Amino acid sequence: MSASVHDAAAEPSPAATTAATTAATTAASGGGRAGAGLVIAVLLVAFNLRLAITSLGALLDHLGDLGVSAAAQGVLTSVPVLCFAAVGATAMALTRRIGVDRGLIVALGLIAAGLALRVLDGTPALVAGTAVACSGIALGNVLIPAIVKEHFPHRIGTMTGAYSAVLSLGSAVGAAATVPIADAAGSWRAGLGVWALAAVAAGVAWAPYCRRRDPQRAQVRGASLWRSPIAWAVTLLFATQSLNAYVMMSWLPSVYADAGFSDAKAGLLLATSIVIGLPFFFVAPVVAVRLRHRGHLVLALTTLTALGWVGLWVAPAGGAWLWAALLGAGGAVFPVALALFALRTSSATDTASLSMMAQSVGYLLAAGGPFLVGVLHDASGSWAAAFALLLATAAVQVVVGYVAGRPGKIATARL
């Protein structure tokens, strides 16, 4: 199933769990006026932002045995990125009507409802429920950076790192625990449906922080970003890192398999990449906040990614573990891009606007990455053309990273 590194599907190790716990503790101690309760609520929301995707991926092969057709499975793997692009593009309409805080409770409601719907009998319910849940995730993806901007204006790096790490941990838990739960209960429906409880728990935790609708606050319009070169640079940065991550999650096991590794070891190498990336996800946005020009950080992290692809190109077997580690660490461009949503804007509403633009366009551009890599591999019979493409996107990422990461706020007209 195609997913980005922040859609990671790996069993959480003690080190990964410790890193996420440390992230949560640090955020809680540094949340300032916001309070530990609000920090916990935000992190619980983040924990839910990939569960619907990775839990389904873990059971996809089993669903085939239960009569879900290959075509339906293909649709299911395409639903998340389509929702991320389509729903993300419409998130501001809802935000203007009910506000960022209340919009997040709507997102959690959609996730819970979708997870419950998809365990009803039949493939249509499975597809429809997945679409509803992923729509909630897409809305949450857009709103979380705005929540951080509004409630943690002096802890943007810490909170972005914390929720990114917990998001990755949640995706890993969904992938690792779904099949054992289904086996223990004797039903795939239990394995998928149990995660609705996590969304409900997050909703209960977040409910006290939903503000009443403030007419003056609701009338605040987001900035017009579509003509801003800075906004487009942030969008392209989000797109390039997503493309690299989607390709890694889709094709890295195949690259290792072609190098002579067993399927099990190829999967372990991907899992290693994900686990190693987790602490970098927490640290990178904290560093980004402290830098005057974040382009230098994008360069450093992109260089790690590029070295990983080069290593896989020239010596995939000889340095397999090192290349996996480099790709995992380089994936921390993702939380840096998330932090830029808040760092380059002046208000929570503008942050939501930039988040909407970058995620809707970025995910749409990134979605074709795995397909194009597959076409290049099939046409050439090797991975060389695909690696050349990935290195070219890394070069683009550095350029747009320097534009997106320079000091200052985006100056735009109000809608």
Side-chain angles (χ1 to χ4, degrees):
M1 180 176 185
S2 294
S4 62
V5 70
H6 42 285
D7 305 337
E11 183 175 0
S13 69
T17 304
T18 300
T21 303
T22 301
T25 303
T26 304
S29 65
R33 299 177 184 175
L38 181 56
V39 172
I40 292 170
V42 170
L43 297 184
L44 283 174
V45 173
F47 187 79
N48 282 271
L49 293 183
R50 294 297 181 270
L51 277 174
I53 301 169
T54 58
S55 59
L56 180 63
L59 278 175
L60 205 56
D61 290 339
H62 298 264
L63 295 177
D65 296 337
L66 296 172
V68 178
S69 68
Q73 292 179 51
V75 170
L76 288 168
T77 61
S78 302
V79 164
V81 70
L82 293 175
C83 287
F84 288 176
V87 177
T90 61
M92 283 307 298
L94 177 65
T95 302
R96 288 171 187 158
R97 292 180 71 84
I98 65 175
V100 173
D101 300 328
R102 294 171 72 180
L104 198 57
I105 204 74
V106 171
L108 291 167
L110 288 172
I111 294 171
L115 290 172
L117 172 61
R118 73 180 185 181
V119 300
L120 299 179
D121 193 29
T123 298
L126 181 62
V127 174
T130 299
V132 171
C134 289
S135 296
I137 291 173
L139 182 58
N141 286 341
V142 170
L143 296 181
I144 281 281
I147 294 293
V148 170
K149 175 72 172 182
E150 181 166 349
H151 294 285
F152 305 91
H154 304 298
R155 295 290 183 271
I156 289 172
T158 301
M159 279 304 300
T160 301
Y163 88 73
S164 298
V166 171
L167 184 152
S168 292
L169 180 64
S171 67
V173 168
T178 297
V179 172
I181 291 173
D183 289 344
S187 169
W188 65 268
R189 290 183 175 83
L192 291 180
V194 68
W195 303 117
L197 299 177
V200 171
V204 171
W206 180 249
Y209 303 100
C210 291
R211 301 180 182 182
R212 292 184 178 181
R213 188 172 184 271
D214 183 341
Q216 290 184 339
R217 193 167 177 257
Q219 289 172 4
V220 175
R221 297 291 179 124
S224 178
L225 301 173
W226 296 96
R227 296 183 180 179
S228 167
I230 306 300
W232 275 107
V234 174
T235 297
L236 291 175
L237 176 65
F238 191 88
T240 54
Q241 66 80 26
S242 294
L243 185 148
N244 272 271
Y246 271 107
V247 169
M248 188 186 82
M249 293 297 297
S250 300
W251 292 109
L252 190 59
S254 297
V255 172
Y256 281 126
D258 285 353
F261 291 94
S262 67
D263 290 342
K265 196 158 189 179
L268 179 60
L269 283 160
L270 176 58
T272 299
S273 180
I274 294 165
V275 171
I276 287 175
L278 189 57
F280 285 88
F281 273 38
F282 175 61
V283 173
V286 177
V287 174
V289 169
R290 297 176 180 177
L291 292 175
R292 184 173 183 275
H293 200 311
R294 289 94 189 189
H296 305 321
L297 180 59
V298 173
L299 171 62
L301 293 171
T302 305
T303 299
L304 297 180
T305 299
L307 289 173
W309 293 129
V310 170
L312 285 170
W313 191 347
V314 300
W321 298 101
L322 175 59
W323 315 141
L326 289 171
L327 290 172
V333 174
F334 168 62
V336 173
L338 294 180
L340 288 173
F341 297 164
L343 293 172
R344 296 311 306 268
T345 53
S346 301
S347 69
T349 306
D350 288 353
T351 300
S353 295
L354 182 56
S355 178
M356 177 208 72
M357 175 180 173
Q359 295 198 53
S360 59
V361 176
Y363 278 124
L364 189 61
L365 293 175
F371 173 77
L372 183 55
V373 165
V375 169
L376 290 173
H377 177 254
D378 289 343
S380 64
S382 74
W383 296 103
F387 289 138
L389 171 67
L390 293 168
L391 291 174
T393 64
V396 173
Q397 184 166 290
V398 170
V399 173
V400 297
Y402 267 96
V403 178
R406 60 194 183 193
K409 307 291 184 183
I410 297 175
T412 52
R414 294 280 150 186
L415 291 174

